[in-house]
């Protein structure tokens, strides 16, 4: 039976190939050979197609089989028995290089064999309707991510003193995260009540004339490629915070960019993610419309209506370095934009340092203010 | 000359509507509290409003008037309805007369001119200026104008009277409103021997540094939490940005506020915060506008 997965191997020595973010080519760490993305695409085109066909056949067979037949299929690659409630979320593949069984989540599109180290792609997860339209290849490597994390610790006044020394990176992985990119138009219609004030002095009087207005503004704002991560495994806060990506580097998707990294297919469709995008577009549209109202002393919104029209949705894979560290029994997760290097993540707060800073600022200020008021005879 | 004659006729007309006001101090208002020469109220409505205005006037020692005219320009040379309100105060000796000859009689008048839908609010006297200060005037407008804009006259005047009563009552509850019959000796007077030391400044010297320290520490704390959800999409706008389809700015009305400017060149009204100036008699403050 044909394998559902392919190992991207060096044509020269059959060692594992990996995509190199520094120079955008695939490199063999064993013999030093390097290949362009196009060369590997051409080489693996047939293998990928065969793997995809094998996967489709296995899925069709699994769906057609009765409960008894399913039990018998434990020996086949799509077996999932023995994993209890999580069984439906797991898939088992055989490594084409060493034959080891690879247990993957049902969304996994690229991984590596823990036994032989070969970088493995599951073409069936990124083909047909599941094929991403575009990908932004990794530009920054693992070392860049580690350096960025160390820099991130710097200048954090409330970071516990021993955090940097005792905190160790538990896991670091480069992941192509599935995203939806939405093109939308927001039609905003807003009304306000505003005032213009004219004040002048006449004789002994200050006369203030206040003109009251009803104001209405309506307009359309077009947005392009607002991203929303399509993986339920990735925290939305982390994925939002590493924006933006430079979309000028989007390239048509190819599996040749995946070796050496993990990749997932989406498990949240475009409809599920649209609410977040609509909220962002509506907020921005109303802000812009509000800014169009000028020349008033006061301006108070009295009504607002926003319609969002979805124009186009693209499915893309974007590069993210995920770093997990452990300190004092707690895990800390950081995410770095694999293209721009923007790193974010929540850090622990030392309450001792917090109160030390609080006292260090407030007490001298109190003494200064108190002294000024006392010697000024005011208290 | 013609306008003077019309003014005289108006005086006669208002005097015809005069009612006998009764109070412990023997107030003697020259006109009725509610005068409708434009004929927008029924007789029973005028009667009901009159009784209410009289009760409020007597209870708070501050005469409250509602005067409705077809066109204020028939009664004054001024181009502002507010001027007519001020003229009426002196012409008809409006206000609560406590019998001690004090020229500053507490009063509040709502003068409405139906021709161009103008209105003016004017107040005078210590009690009037305290109760119907700037926020008070604004509150009065908020209470009555919505009715007037729908030509709901009776309810509008009712709302005006009720709001006026609540404003007169509210300072009394706070102990700041003193009817004119009470001597206010120390108003605006500062004891030269009094200490300038203010214990609140000590509190400020403690609280301000705490607030500054909290703000700085909060900004430090914010640096520790950078994984936050995006709520806007400003970075994804297609140039040139917003395409405006509707831009409408509709003028609704104009309100005019007059405030006296205090000069340091002499005593004025025992320290009132606002009083008349220009061609008006002293002690006035008020609003005018469209309804």
């Amino acid at each position: 039976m044909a394998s559902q997965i392919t190992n991207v191997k060096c044509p020269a020595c059959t060692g594992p190939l990996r995509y190199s973010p520094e120079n955008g080519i695939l490199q063999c760490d064993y013999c030093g050979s390097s290949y362009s993305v196009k060369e590997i695409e051409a080489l693996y085109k047939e293998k990928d197609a065969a793997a995809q066909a094998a996967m489709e056949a296995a899925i069709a067979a699994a769906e057609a089989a009765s409960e008894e037949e399913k039990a018998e299929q434990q020996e086949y690659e799509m077996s999932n028995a023995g994993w209890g409630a999580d069984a439906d979320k797991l898939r088992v593949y055989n490594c084409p290089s060493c034959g080891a069984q690879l247990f993957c989540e049902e969304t996994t599109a690229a991984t590596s064999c823990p036994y032989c180290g070969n970088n493995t792609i599951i073409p069936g997860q990124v083909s047909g309707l599941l094929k991403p339209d575009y990908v932004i290849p990794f530009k920054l490597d693992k070392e860049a991510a580690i350096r960025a994390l160390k820099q991130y610790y710097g200048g954090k006044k409330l970071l516990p003193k021993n955090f940097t020394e005792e905190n160790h990176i538990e896991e670091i992985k480069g992941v192509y995260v599935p995203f939806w990119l939405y093109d939308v138009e927001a039609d905003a219609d807003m009304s306000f009540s505003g005032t213009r004030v004219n004040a002048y002095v006449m004789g002994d009087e200050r006369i203030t004339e206040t003109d009251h207005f009803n104001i209405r503004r309506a307009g359309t704002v077009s947005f392009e490629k607002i991203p929303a991560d399509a993986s339920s495994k990735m925290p939305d806060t982390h994925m939002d915070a590493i924006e933006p990506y430079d979309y000028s580097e989007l390239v048509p998707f190819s599996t040749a960019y995946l070796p050496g990294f993990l990749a997932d297919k989406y498990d949240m469709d475009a409809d599920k993610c649209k609410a977040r995008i609509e909220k962002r577009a509506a907020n921005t549209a109303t802000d812009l419309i509000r800014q169009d109202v000028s020349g008033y002393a006061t301006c108070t919104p009295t009504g607002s209506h926003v319609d969002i029209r979805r124009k186009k949705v693209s499915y893309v894979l974007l590069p993210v370095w995920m770093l997990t560290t452990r300190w004092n029994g707690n895990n800390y997760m950081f995410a770095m934009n694999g293209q721009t290097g923007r790193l974010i993540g929540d850090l622990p707060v030392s309450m001792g340092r917090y109160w030390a800073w609080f006292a260090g600022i407030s007490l001298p200020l109190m003494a200064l203010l108190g002294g000024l008021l006392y010697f000024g005879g005011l208290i | 000359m013609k306008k003077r004659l019309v003014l005289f006729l108006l005086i006669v007309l208002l005097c015809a509507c005069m009612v006998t006001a009764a109070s412990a101090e023997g107030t003697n208002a020259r006109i009725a509290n509610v005068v409708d020469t434009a004929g927008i109220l029924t007789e029973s409505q005028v009667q009901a409003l009159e009784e209410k205005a009289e009760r409020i006037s007597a209870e708070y020692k501050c005469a409250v008037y509602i005067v409705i005219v077809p066109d204020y320009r028939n009664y004054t040379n001024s181009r502002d309805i507010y001027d007519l309100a001020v003229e009426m105060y002196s012409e008809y000796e409006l206000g609560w007369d406590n019998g001690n000859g004090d020229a500053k009689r507490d009063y509040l008048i709502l003068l409405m001119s139906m021709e161009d839908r103008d209105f003016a609010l004017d107040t005078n006297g210590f009690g009037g200026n305290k109760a119907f200060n700037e926020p008070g005037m604004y509150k009065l407008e908020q209470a009555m104008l919505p009715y007037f804009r729908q030509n709901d006259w009776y309810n509008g005047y009712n709302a005006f009277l009720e709001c006026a009563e609540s404003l007169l009552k509210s300072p009394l509850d706070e102990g700041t409103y003193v009817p004119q019959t009470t001597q206010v000796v120390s108003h605006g007077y500062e004891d030269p021997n009094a200490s300038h030391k203010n214990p609140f400044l000590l509190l400020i010297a403690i609280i301000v540094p705490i607030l500054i320290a909290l703000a700085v520490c909060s900004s430090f704390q914010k640096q520790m939490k950078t994984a936050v959800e995006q709520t806007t999409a400003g970075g994804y706008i297609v140039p040139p940005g917003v395409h405006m389809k509707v831009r409408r700015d509709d003028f609704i009305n104009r309100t005019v506020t007059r405030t006296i400017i205090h000069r340091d060149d002499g005593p004025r009204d025992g320290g009132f915060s606002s009083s008349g100036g220009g061609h008006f008699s002293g002690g006035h403050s008020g609003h005018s506008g469209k309804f």
Side-chain angles (χ1 to χ4, degrees):
Chain A
M1 184 177 180
S3 177
Q4 297 168 38
I5 61 179
T6 54
N7 283 346
V8 185
K9 292 180 180 175
C10 173
C13 71
T14 70
L17 280 179
R18 64 172 181 83
Y19 179 81
S20 168
E22 306 95 77
N23 40 28
I25 55 172
L26 287 109
Q27 279 188 327
C28 175
D29 291 332
Y30 289 84
C31 70
S33 302
S34 61
Y35 305 90
S36 72
V37 168
K38 281 191 177 172
E39 285 173 324
I40 295 300
E41 264 178 8
L43 200 64
Y44 278 84
K45 194 175 179 184
E46 284 182 13
K47 283 186 181 176
D48 284 354
Q52 183 189 338
M55 187 171 197
E56 284 167 2
I59 291 169
E63 283 173 355
S66 64
E67 288 302 315
E68 292 80 13
E69 285 171 331
K70 276 184 184 173
E72 289 170 11
Q73 280 193 343
Q74 285 179 8
E75 59 190 292
Y76 297 116
E77 289 175 324
M78 289 298 292
S79 167
N80 57 16
W83 291 85
D86 293 331
D88 289 343
K89 293 176 184 173
L90 286 178
R91 286 186 180 172
V92 184
Y93 305 99
N94 284 341
C95 175
S97 294
C98 67
Q101 281 197 318
L102 305 178
F103 291 88
C104 300
E105 292 185 46
E106 62 175 351
T107 55
T108 301
T111 184
S112 63
C113 176
Y115 301 99
C116 67
N118 274 298
N119 294 319
T120 304
I121 295 163
I122 306 160
Q125 299 280 49
V126 285
S127 59
L129 290 173
L130 300 175
K131 185 183 177 184
D133 300 309
Y134 301 100
V135 59
I136 292 180
F138 271 91
K139 277 186 82 176
L140 299 167
D141 60 12
K142 186 187 283 188
E143 282 68 36
I146 294 166
R147 277 198 306 275
L149 183 63
K150 284 180 181 167
Q151 278 179 357
Y152 182 68
Y153 294 157
K156 300 287 189 292
K157 307 247 180 337
L158 303 184
L159 195 66
K161 196 178 176 184
N162 54 0
F163 179 81
T164 315
E165 295 97 57
E166 294 177 6
N167 172 51
H168 300 291
I169 296 175
E170 289 235 320
E171 190 181 22
I172 176 165
K173 54 188 182 185
V175 187
Y176 279 107
V177 179
F179 274 80
W180 298 109
L181 301 184
Y182 296 78
D183 291 359
V184 297
E185 275 186 354
D187 291 325
D189 191 336
M190 299 182 74
S191 48
F192 310 86
S193 66
T195 59
R196 283 180 185 154
V197 179
N198 177 30
Y200 54 92
V201 174
M202 187 182 284
D204 277 353
E205 282 186 313
R206 179 176 291 109
I207 298 171
T208 308
E209 294 175 350
T210 307
D211 291 345
H212 299 263
F213 291 83
N214 275 345
I215 305 157
R216 191 180 156 216
R217 293 286 185 276
T220 302
V221 187
S222 296
F223 298 88
E224 200 173 63
K225 296 188 179 69
I226 309 176
D229 76 273
S231 170
S232 59
K233 286 189 290 184
M234 292 293 170
D236 292 344
T237 48
H238 284 65
M239 295 301 104
D240 278 3
I242 58 171
E243 290 177 23
Y245 283 91
D246 178 4
Y247 292 139
S248 67
E249 292 180 355
L250 278 171
V251 293
F253 175 75
S254 166
T255 54
Y257 294 108
L258 304 187
F261 302 101
L262 304 179
D264 279 338
K265 69 165 188 171
Y266 70 85
D267 62 355
M268 293 173 73
D269 63 27
D271 284 335
K272 270 189 188 171
C273 300
K274 73 173 181 183
R276 288 172 53 211
I277 293 320
E278 287 178 353
K279 185 177 151 196
R280 291 177 64 177
N283 287 345
T284 303
T286 51
D287 285 350
L288 286 173
I289 296 285
R290 168 70 185 81
Q291 285 167 22
D292 190 72
V293 182
S294 59
Y296 289 93
T298 63
C299 180
T300 311
T302 53
S304 172
H305 179 76
V306 184
D307 274 330
I308 305 288
R309 277 179 282 119
R310 205 165 84 186
K311 291 174 69 183
K312 185 182 157 194
V313 182
S314 306
Y315 175 36
V316 301
L317 296 184
L318 300 180
V320 180
W321 282 104
M322 297 299 298
L323 302 96
T324 309
T325 67
R326 194 165 177 80
W327 181 76
N328 261 7
N330 295 317
N331 285 325
Y332 296 91
M333 184 198 277
F334 303 90
M336 189 183 89
N337 185 317
Q339 182 196 32
T340 65
R342 178 177 166 78
L343 188 139
I344 58 90
D346 296 344
L347 290 166
V349 173
S350 162
M351 290 316 288
R353 288 196 163 198
Y354 182 96
W355 291 115
W357 273 100
F358 181 82
I361 295 167
S362 60
L363 293 179
L365 270 177
M366 277 182 204
L368 184 69
L369 262 179
L372 285 172
L373 292 172
Y374 179 77
F375 291 111
L378 294 169
I379 55 174
Chain B
M1 187 64 193
K2 185 182 172 187
K3 291 205 169 173
R4 291 280 170 197
L5 184 65
V6 174
L7 187 62
F8 176 74
L9 289 173
L10 177 67
I11 295 168
V12 174
L13 179 68
L14 295 175
C15 288
C17 301
M18 190 167 59
V19 295
T20 306
S23 74
E25 291 77 17
T27 214
N28 53 350
R30 299 294 179 86
I31 63 168
N33 290 73
V34 179
V35 178
D36 175 20
T37 60
I40 59 171
L41 297 171
T42 65
E43 219 168 280
S44 60
Q45 285 175 334
V46 172
Q47 185 64 29
L49 291 169
E50 175 70 36
E51 284 170 10
K52 196 168 196 170
E54 274 182 26
R55 180 185 59 74
I56 294 168
S57 303
E59 192 170 339
Y60 297 99
K61 316 261 183 292
C62 177
V64 180
Y65 300 93
I66 296 170
V67 176
I68 310 151
V69 295
D71 187 351
Y72 74 92
R73 283 168 285 250
N74 294 335
Y75 311 110
T76 180
N77 288 321
S78 173
R79 284 185 297 175
D80 194 333
I81 188 173
Y82 182 79
D83 295 350
L84 177 61
V86 175
E87 285 168 17
M88 286 176 69
Y89 177 78
S90 49
E91 290 281 346
Y92 309 137
E93 295 182 13
L94 300 183
W96 188 263
D97 185 359
N98 59 11
N100 63 8
D102 196 330
K104 307 298 176 202
R105 303 174 300 275
D106 279 7
Y107 106 122
L108 170 71
I109 189 169
L110 166 61
L111 175 61
M112 288 179 64
S113 171
M114 303 309 292
E115 179 68 23
D116 291 329
R117 300 180 76 89
D118 296 296
F119 79 91
L121 285 166
D122 182 42
T123 189
N124 204 335
F126 176 64
N129 275 304
K130 287 295 271 187
F132 307 115
N133 51 13
E134 192 56 27
M137 288 287 181
Y138 183 72
K139 196 175 174 186
L140 281 170
E141 287 178 7
Q142 294 294 303
M144 67 185 186
L145 289 182
Y147 292 103
F148 294 151
R149 283 175 188 141
Q150 295 174 19
N151 296 340
D152 186 354
W153 311 117
Y154 180 68
N155 284 323
Y157 297 125
N158 247 325
F160 163 74
L161 290 174
E162 279 165 16
C163 186
E165 184 174 16
S166 76
L167 288 168
L168 285 162
K169 190 177 181 180
S170 180
L172 270 174
D173 290 343
E174 293 169 14
T176 53
Y177 169 65
V178 184
Q180 202 173 348
T181 47
T182 305
Q183 287 292 321
V184 183
V185 178
S186 62
H187 192 85
Y189 170 76
E190 192 177 347
D191 182 358
N193 298 320
S195 170
H196 288 279
K197 290 184 179 179
N198 188 345
F200 286 109
L201 287 175
L202 183 62
L203 206 61
I204 288 169
I206 293 168
I207 289 171
V208 169
I210 287 174
L211 292 177
I212 292 170
L214 274 177
V216 173
C217 289
S218 296
S219 79
F220 288 163
Q221 203 167 14
K222 212 175 171 185
Q223 291 175 355
M224 310 300 279
K225 185 174 171 56
T226 53
V228 287
E229 199 171 339
Q230 298 275 6
T231 55
T232 58
Y236 303 97
I237 296 170
V238 179
V242 61
H243 169 61
M244 294 304 298
K245 291 174 179 169
V246 178
R247 275 196 181 101
R248 279 188 57 184
D249 298 67
D250 297 328
F251 175 74
I252 304 301
N253 68 335
R254 169 177 290 180
T255 54
V256 180
T257 308
R258 295 157 188 273
T259 315
I260 201 72
I261 300 168
H262 277 285
R263 308 285 186 200
D264 294 332
D265 54 357
R268 181 186 286 273
D269 288 342
F272 289 143
S273 60
S274 62
S275 62
H279 61 277
F280 303 129
S281 57
H284 288 277
S285 64
H287 277 197
S288 63
K290 301 268 186 194
F291 56 89

